[in-house]
Amino acid sequence: MPWNTQGGGPWGSGGGKGPWGSGPQPSSGPNPPDLEEMLRRGQDRLRRVLPGGQLGGRGFLLIALGVVALWGFSGFFRVEPDELGVVLRFGKDVREVQPGLNYHLPYPIESVLTPKALRVNKIDIGMRVVDDIRRGGTTTRDVPEESLMLTGDENIVDVDFSVLWKVKPTGVGDYLFNIQNPEGTVKAVAESAMREVIGRSDIQPILTGARQTIETAVQDLMQKTLDSYGAGIVVQQVQLQKVDPPQQVIDAFRDVQAARADQERSVNEAQTYANRVIPEARGNVAKITQAAEAYRSQTVAEATGQTSRFLQIYDQYKKAPAVTRERMYLETMERVLGGSDKVIVDQGVGNTGVVPYLPLPGLSAAPKPPQPPAAPRAQTPSSGGRQ
């Protein structure tokens, strides 16, 4: 009997104890598996399966064939509907496979990567959608370090937006091997592009009617940047979710917006009044201008006619001065005295000069208001007593 199993040892300790008065204690946990027992049981089962019960050359051949068959079947793989398969041969991209059941040479000759290349991904920037445990739904949490941006006129605006993107159908290899963190890259590029576009714009168009322009500009800039990276990603849409001033100054911005609305209303009213008055004034101007043009044409025509008449009379006067003077005198007296009361002047010896004239044709007409007497005209000696 060994010394450590006797009732007393060289140091006078009890049975089962070591020289320091304590021996190994039995373990309270499960015992480790016995490897020899497991190997023995496996051999027994294999002998029962193999013909003759012996593991000979034929048995090793069957085992080798089974291993090769299992190795060959390991090349089957399935690609989900929202995925594309990229087969790698010794680490090199050799082909792409569509969703469904496919096959590649077993590992380590070929392997497969199945990115979700057909799924449209969404990234929220400036906000996070979190679960609301108390209300049993979801709520949006603002992220100021991502959403606060500086505008071109040195104002601060709070912009929350979302980006929809997916892998290019012909760029799966670029998506897998050119960028390490695709989602983080898209997020960083989106935030950088939005800050650049906002930095080139004033705050007023951003808050009012430039949403579509900003979305298009950010999408184009993102696509250009990702293409320069060779990321194999296409940006499908940029959606502005919220564009507001910072919470601390939103009341002041609302007052400014109300003042701008009043300004626009006043401008519209003034423009309406101008649209009513200006055409009327232009009509009056055109009327006056046309009247002046007509008067000018009439005056010029009359002057031209008088000039032509004078020249004709002058030509006749040069041919017969006396006759022309007589005719001009008669025509002038006819024109002057044609519409007035008639007065007979007798310049003979012993006459009083003015002879009363009774206008018999005028008695039947309505009485006329009294007219001032006409001044007597001096007659030439050759005219006699003309009427």
Side-chain angles (χ1 to χ4, degrees), residues 53-338:
Q54 298 295 328
L55 187 61
R58 187 176 179 182
F60 281 110
L61 180 60
L62 291 176
I63 293 175
L65 291 176
V67 171
V68 171
L70 291 176
W71 182 67
F73 277 105
S74 66
F76 287 98
F77 65 96
R78 179 178 177 83
V79 180
E80 298 298 331
D82 61 343
E83 298 176 343
L84 282 178
V86 179
V87 178
L88 308 178
R89 181 175 298 166
F90 298 113
K92 181 181 179 181
D93 180 9
V94 292
R95 69 180 187 275
E96 297 178 0
V97 295
Q98 297 298 319
L101 185 62
N102 298 275
Y103 182 81
H104 66 80
L105 296 179
Y107 182 84
I109 299 176
E110 289 184 350
S111 60
V112 64
L113 298 175
T114 56
K116 297 186 180 298
L118 302 180
R119 183 179 66 181
V120 178
N121 303 280
K122 181 180 180 181
I123 294 180
D124 296 326
I125 300 175
M127 60 181 179
R128 297 292 183 273
V129 178
V130 297
D131 295 332
D132 192 349
I133 301 177
R134 293 179 299 177
R135 299 180 180 179
T138 58
T139 183
T140 302
R141 180 174 60 87
D142 195 16
V143 185
E145 57 270 17
E146 296 178 0
S147 61
L148 293 180
M149 302 180 185
L150 188 65
T151 63
D153 52 357
E154 298 182 356
N155 286 295
I156 298 177
V157 65
D158 190 357
V159 180
D160 295 343
F161 65 102
S162 300
V163 178
L164 302 179
W165 62 277
K166 64 179 296 186
V167 181
K168 290 182 178 180
T170 59
V172 182
D174 296 337
Y175 172 78
L176 290 174
F177 303 117
N178 288 350
I179 54 177
Q180 183 176 7
N181 184 8
E183 185 172 353
T185 301
V186 173
K187 181 178 179 181
V189 171
E191 184 176 349
S192 177
M194 181 62 73
R195 291 187 182 277
E196 180 174 347
V197 173
I198 294 296
R200 296 198 303 256
S201 306
D202 294 338
I203 190 171
Q204 186 60 31
I206 295 174
L207 296 178
T208 53
R211 296 173 65 94
Q212 185 65 33
T213 304
I214 293 174
E215 292 175 350
T216 304
V218 172
Q219 181 178 351
D220 295 341
L221 185 57
M222 284 186 62
Q223 191 64 60
K224 181 179 179 181
T225 304
L226 291 172
D227 290 343
S228 66
Y229 293 164
I233 293 175
V234 56
V235 181
Q236 290 191 323
Q237 190 176 7
V238 176
Q239 299 176 345
L240 287 174
Q241 303 295 340
K242 183 188 71 173
V243 182
D244 290 326
Q247 189 66 31
Q248 295 81 354
V249 295
I250 192 170
D251 293 336
F253 269 89
R254 287 175 178 172
D255 294 339
V256 172
Q257 293 297 323
R260 292 183 183 276
D262 294 340
Q263 178 186 4
E264 293 180 359
R265 179 178 55 80
S266 300
V267 170
N268 292 334
E269 292 177 355
Q271 189 66 37
T272 302
Y273 176 75
N275 293 337
R276 185 180 70 253
V277 173
I278 291 177
E280 183 178 355
R282 289 176 178 173
N284 294 331
V285 170
K287 180 180 178 181
I288 295 173
T289 302
Q290 292 175 359
E293 291 290 340
Y295 176 74
R296 183 189 67 175
S297 300
Q298 179 183 359
T299 304
V300 171
E302 290 180 355
T304 303
Q306 293 292 337
T307 303
S308 177
R309 178 176 178 274
F310 177 79
L311 293 176
Q312 292 176 2
I313 294 175
Y314 179 69
D315 291 338
Q316 298 298 325
Y317 179 79
K318 288 191 297 181
K319 296 177 181 179
V323 175
T324 303
R325 283 198 302 268
E326 182 73 15
R327 181 179 178 182
M328 290 176 60
Y329 175 77
L330 294 176
E331 291 177 354
T332 302
M333 295 303 296
E334 180 182 0
R335 185 172 61 254
V336 172
L337 300 177

Side-chain angles (χ1 to χ4, degrees), residues 38-51:
M38 293 177 61
L39 290 175
R40 185 179 60 80
R41 292 179 180 176
Q43 291 175 357
D44 293 341
R45 293 176 181 175
L46 188 58
R47 289 192 186 98
R48 288 195 296 267
V49 173
L50 293 176

